[in-house]
Amino acid sequence: MSKNYAVILAGGRGERFWPQSRAARPKHLLPIVGDRPMVAQTVTRLAGLAPPEQIFILTNTEHVAAIRAACPEVPSGQIIGEPVGRDTAPAAALAAMLVRRRDPEGVVALLAADAAIHDDAGFRATLSSAFAAAAKQDYIFTIGIPPAFAATAYGYLCRGKKLGESEGRPWFKVDKFVEKPDHSTAERYLKEGGYLWNACMFVVRANVLESAFNQYAPDIARGMKELDGRLNQGVPQAEALAAVYPGLTKISLDYAVMEKSANVAVFEAAFDWDDVGEWPALVRHAQADAAGNVVKGDSALHEARGNIVVGEPGHLVALLGVDDLVVVQTPDATLVCPKSRAQELKKLLQVVAAKKNSTHWL
Amino acid sequence: MSKNYAVILAGGRGERFWPQSRAARPKHLLPIVGDRPMVAQTVTRLAGLAPPEQIFILTNTEHVAAIRAACPEVPSGQIIGEPVGRDTAPAAALAAMLVRRRDPEGVVALLAADAAIHDDAGFRATLSSAFAAAAKQDYIFTIGIPPAFAATAYGYLCRGKKLGESEGRPWFKVDKFVEKPDHSTAERYLKEGGYLWNACMFVVRANVLESAFNQYAPDIARGMKELDGRLNQGVPQAEALAAVYPGLTKISLDYAVMEKSANVAVFEAAFDWDDVGEWPALVRHAQADAAGNVVKGDSALHEARGNIVVGEPGHLVALLGVDDLVVVQTPDATLVCPKSRAQELKKLLQVVAAKKNSTHWL
């Protein structure tokens, strides 16, 4: 029987949850949802599916040490720094190669490091079905999330006809991938049914994924063969990556492979999922008070409604007469913005970056 | 020639400038306007009028040490703690007694510790005229502030006929004291002219003020005689105060004496004055940026207008898309409220006080 592997993609630049997240401390290293770094929660969630020695984590070289500290159960040699970011397609190709080198019949789950998932049992049940199917079928399985609302921040995929069952769970053809829709289109998707959120979560035999790269992204496949060859010659992994990785095309896995591939299938997730893209998303993961405020830390609120308040323990964040704000306090920086403008944080960070000696704030 | 004394009244509970001000660190101990504690600026402003050895500071017992540290040039025995707060009338009576015991013909200026005055030369010129007049005339001189706008936060006094001149500066009868007006009344005062802000700033011979207490506030005068007697018997000052002060009526000097007294005269201030009663008043004392933001400390602002931002040096306060807020950051507490609601800070502090183990935040 083939073994299950997981490759966790831990990219992220630490912008969307500033000032808690920083360049040196992106979201997956923080307990944005839950009380442990999100990457550590992602590792724990795999218990029973893939043991730590079958888990790889791909990240930026500057985050390797922090992830090793956050995930001590994962063998440190399997926490690998990409010398430069090249988006998800090269990372997935590297994942396929790493697993195939270890186990020619290995099945790999590609997972984001920083998604919020509360129903770990549902996650394991769904993934177990997908692992079992991928071991036998030459398909790339994705896990589609039944949409909880008309999200415009996610891409969707359109579920086609049922192709089979695995451990009692049906799987379907993916008819197409669709880009992030506008609000009315998202509402139509919800009404029509058959549309699922694309969570960029895939389960596939490593050799099947390598074949897909050979067919649809031959330049990346060539880079991987080059890398494979250097590793076979005994070149240290970091050195081989430094030589090859920068030359790879920067492109997402969806664009490079998934949208072109004929053999993509989908399981519907039997669990909740949220990529928690910005501060206001916390509302979906925390108990609000009677006035709709979500508070982490110590606060004093008077006639304040619908705010998101995050502070260090022991620091009192006090709001008087303000509504629908995000207020985040850290030891060296504090953010105040309306919830409705949290997605503009990057513009604010450009203002910070333009300040003298501001890198320690970024 | 009689000597000039000053008695600085440094009360204050540290509420209006929370979280910078605290019970243990009220406004006069902070550089709310300027870059030194406001009480220290008040002492410095007296240079040339009254030397430090002729300055007394009355405060709460718990602030004596901090004021001694802030005003090292004032003899420490002249920084005196009231065992309990009894408002300004008992404090003024104590001031008169302290000065008269030192110098039976002494003239005393009663000054608030925490007013913002930028024109120190104008202050000294006006006060010099008042000191000279008070040395010769049995009047209580007050310094009236020509109103800069239709303030509703100050009481007013109505200037009557000219009674004399001192050092070329006219002084006038005070026809009446009027309470804080509503906005339309304040506008009428401004339009009619002859109304001045009551800054609670008085210059008077100590023996004249004692006589006024004998006549208009005999119970307080009796308490002072009791205190005087104990001091004459060699009872230490703190012990004598502890025995007598708590028994005094709690009442303001205006109510107890000024509004009843026939011999109150006024000089018009030839200087600016502002009691800086709440955070939004900072706008009157700082250069705003092009978008009307007043900032103390490090900040990053994107599409933010009309805000007041105060933070510790090195801490970045970042605002995105918010207008007309007060944001004040300190190491252990942060405030966010609209400028228009800053006067409700006491209600917020009641919420803080109701929290468990909250005294260190107050």
Side-chain angles (χ1 to χ4, degrees):
Chain A
M1 210 186 91
S2 61
K3 280 192 192 159
N4 296 344
Y5 293 82
V7 177
I8 297 169
L9 305 184
R13 296 170 56 200
E15 289 189 330
R16 296 182 302 170
F17 286 86
W18 190 89
Q20 269 203 354
S21 66
R22 305 288 172 98
R25 195 172 4 113
K27 178 184 155 205
H28 55 76
L29 285 166
L30 296 171
I32 293 289
V33 172
D35 50 12
R36 295 162 57 226
M38 299 191 79
V39 65
Q41 297 179 51
T42 301
V43 168
T44 305
R45 196 175 292 122
L46 288 161
L49 287 172
E53 58 272 22
Q54 284 153 234
I55 295 175
F56 294 81
I57 303 178
L58 302 187
T59 186
N60 313 320
T61 46
E62 59 264 42
H63 298 144
V64 166
I67 292 185
R68 284 179 181 160
C71 305
E73 66 273 50
V74 177
S76 68
Q78 289 168 211
I79 297 171
I80 297 166
E82 298 169 301
V84 290
R86 284 290 177 261
D87 211 333
T88 48
L94 177 59
M97 194 199 77
L98 290 167
V99 170
R100 189 261 307 148
R101 285 176 62 85
R102 176 85 69 90
D103 183 346
E105 291 298 312
V107 184
V108 57
L110 291 169
L111 303 169
D114 59 358
I117 294 169
H118 297 281
D119 180 4
D120 287 358
F123 172 84
R124 285 190 281 262
T126 308
L127 269 280
S128 175
S129 300
F131 271 116
K136 287 174 273 181
Q137 307 284 345
D138 290 351
Y139 271 88
I140 302 171
F141 291 92
T142 182
I143 312 296
I145 316 293
F149 57 94
T152 57
Y154 306 142
Y156 287 70
L157 48 87
C158 189
R159 196 189 68 190
K161 67 173 183 202
K162 178 174 163 182
L163 294 179
E165 266 189 29
S166 174
E167 298 181 350
R169 201 175 298 274
W171 50 276
F172 305 87
K173 180 106 179 62
V174 170
D175 280 347
K176 62 174 176 190
F177 285 82
V178 291
E179 302 273 339
K180 295 175 187 177
D182 60 24
H183 189 71
S184 65
T185 306
E187 286 195 317
R188 182 167 60 78
Y189 289 170
L190 222 64
K191 205 170 141 195
E192 284 182 13
Y195 286 87
L196 301 165
W197 287 341
N198 176 9
C200 302
M201 201 185 297
F202 300 98
V203 183
V204 58
R205 258 198 347 275
N207 57 26
V208 170
L209 187 54
E210 285 195 318
S211 298
F213 272 97
N214 286 335
Q215 187 168 357
Y216 302 111
D219 56 333
I220 294 175
R222 259 194 308 278
M224 286 301 137
K225 282 192 192 80
E226 169 75 22
L227 186 59
D228 203 20
R230 288 181 189 232
L231 294 175
N232 288 340
Q233 288 157 25
V235 176
Q237 185 175 266
E239 195 181 311
L241 279 169
V244 173
Y245 217 80
L248 300 178
T249 309
K250 184 170 184 171
I251 184 170
S252 78
L253 180 60
D254 284 1
Y255 279 131
V257 174
M258 296 302 161
E259 296 180 5
K260 298 171 181 166
S261 182
N263 59 336
V264 182
V266 61
F267 283 90
E268 286 195 16
F271 57 91
D272 62 295
W273 171 93
D274 184 355
D275 95 332
V276 199
E278 52 174 34
W279 282 117
L282 280 201
V283 174
R284 300 197 289 265
H285 302 280
Q287 185 67 42
D289 69 14
N293 300 293
V294 167
V295 176
K296 276 178 136 180
D298 292 301
S299 75
L301 309 177
H302 179 66
E303 295 184 8
R305 280 170 295 272
N307 300 284
I308 292 173
V309 182
V310 178
E312 292 173 284
H315 186 103
L316 187 71
V317 179
L319 307 188
L320 161 65
V322 291
D323 299 337
D324 299 317
L325 290 183
V326 173
V327 179
V328 182
Q329 175 272 337
T330 69
D332 69 343
T334 298
L335 166 71
V336 181
C337 80
K339 284 198 291 191
S340 61
R341 299 190 67 174
Q343 76 281 6
E344 297 174 49
L345 209 42
K346 281 187 186 189
K347 293 185 205 160
L348 180 65
L349 295 183
Q350 285 165 9
V351 176
V352 178
K355 289 180 74 78
K356 235 169 124 179
N357 304 320
S358 63
T359 46
H360 62 291
W361 284 316
L362 291 167
Chain B
M1 208 186 93
S2 62
K3 280 190 191 160
N4 296 343
Y5 293 83
V7 177
I8 296 169
L9 306 184
R13 297 170 54 201
E15 289 189 329
R16 295 182 303 170
F17 285 86
W18 190 88
Q20 269 203 353
S21 66
R22 306 288 172 99
R25 196 175 358 117
K27 178 184 156 205
H28 55 75
L29 285 167
L30 296 171
I32 292 289
V33 172
D35 51 12
R36 295 161 58 226
M38 299 192 78
V39 65
Q41 298 179 48
T42 302
V43 168
T44 305
R45 195 175 294 121
L46 288 161
L49 287 172
E53 57 272 21
Q54 284 153 233
I55 295 175
F56 294 81
I57 303 177
L58 302 187
T59 187
N60 313 320
T61 46
E62 59 264 41
H63 299 145
V64 166
I67 292 186
R68 284 178 180 160
C71 306
E73 66 274 50
V74 176
S76 68
Q78 290 168 211
I79 297 171
I80 297 165
E82 297 168 300
V84 290
R86 282 291 177 260
D87 212 335
T88 48
L94 176 59
M97 195 199 76
L98 289 166
V99 171
R100 189 260 308 149
R101 285 176 62 86
R102 175 85 67 92
D103 182 345
E105 290 298 313
V107 184
V108 58
L110 291 170
L111 304 169
D114 60 358
I117 294 169
H118 297 281
D119 180 5
D120 287 0
F123 172 84
R124 285 190 280 263
T126 309
L127 270 279
S128 176
S129 299
F131 271 117
K136 285 174 272 182
Q137 307 284 344
D138 291 350
Y139 271 88
I140 301 171
F141 291 92
T142 183
I143 313 296
I145 316 294
F149 57 94
T152 56
Y154 305 143
Y156 287 70
L157 48 87
C158 190
R159 194 191 68 192
K161 67 173 183 200
K162 178 174 165 181
L163 294 179
E165 267 189 27
S166 173
E167 298 180 351
R169 200 175 299 274
W171 49 278
F172 305 86
K173 180 103 179 65
V174 171
D175 280 348
K176 61 173 177 191
F177 285 83
V178 291
E179 302 273 339
K180 297 175 186 175
D182 61 25
H183 189 70
S184 64
T185 307
E187 287 196 317
R188 182 167 61 77
Y189 289 170
L190 222 65
K191 204 170 144 195
E192 285 182 11
Y195 285 86
L196 301 165
W197 287 342
N198 175 9
C200 302
M201 200 185 296
F202 299 97
V203 182
V204 57
R205 253 190 0 271
N207 56 26
V208 170
L209 187 54
E210 285 195 316
S211 297
F213 271 97
N214 286 335
Q215 189 169 356
Y216 302 111
D219 55 333
I220 294 175
R222 258 194 309 277
M224 286 301 138
K225 283 192 191 80
E226 168 75 24
L227 186 59
D228 203 19
R230 289 183 189 232
L231 294 174
N232 288 340
Q233 288 158 25
V235 176
Q237 185 174 265
E239 193 182 312
L241 279 169
V244 173
Y245 216 80
L248 300 177
T249 309
K250 184 169 184 171
I251 185 169
S252 78
L253 180 60
D254 284 1
Y255 278 131
V257 174
M258 296 302 162
E259 296 180 4
K260 297 171 181 167
S261 182
N263 59 335
V264 182
V266 62
F267 282 90
E268 286 196 16
F271 57 91
D272 62 295
W273 172 93
D274 184 355
D275 95 332
V276 200
E278 52 174 36
W279 282 118
L282 280 200
V283 174
R284 300 197 289 265
H285 301 280
Q287 185 66 43
D289 69 16
N293 300 293
V294 167
V295 175
K296 277 178 133 179
D298 292 302
S299 74
L301 309 178
H302 179 66
E303 295 185 7
R305 281 171 294 272
N307 300 285
I308 293 172
V309 182
V310 178
E312 293 173 284
H315 186 103
L316 187 70
V317 180
L319 307 189
L320 160 64
V322 291
D323 299 338
D324 299 316
L325 291 183
V326 173
V327 179
V328 182
Q329 175 272 335
T330 70
D332 68 343
T334 297
L335 167 71
V336 180
C337 79
K339 285 198 289 191
S340 61
R341 300 191 67 175
Q343 75 281 4
E344 297 174 50
L345 209 41
K346 281 186 186 190
K347 292 183 205 162
L348 180 64
L349 295 183
Q350 285 165 10
V351 176
V352 178
K355 290 180 73 78
K356 239 168 122 179
N357 305 321
S358 64
T359 46
H360 61 290
W361 285 316
L362 292 168

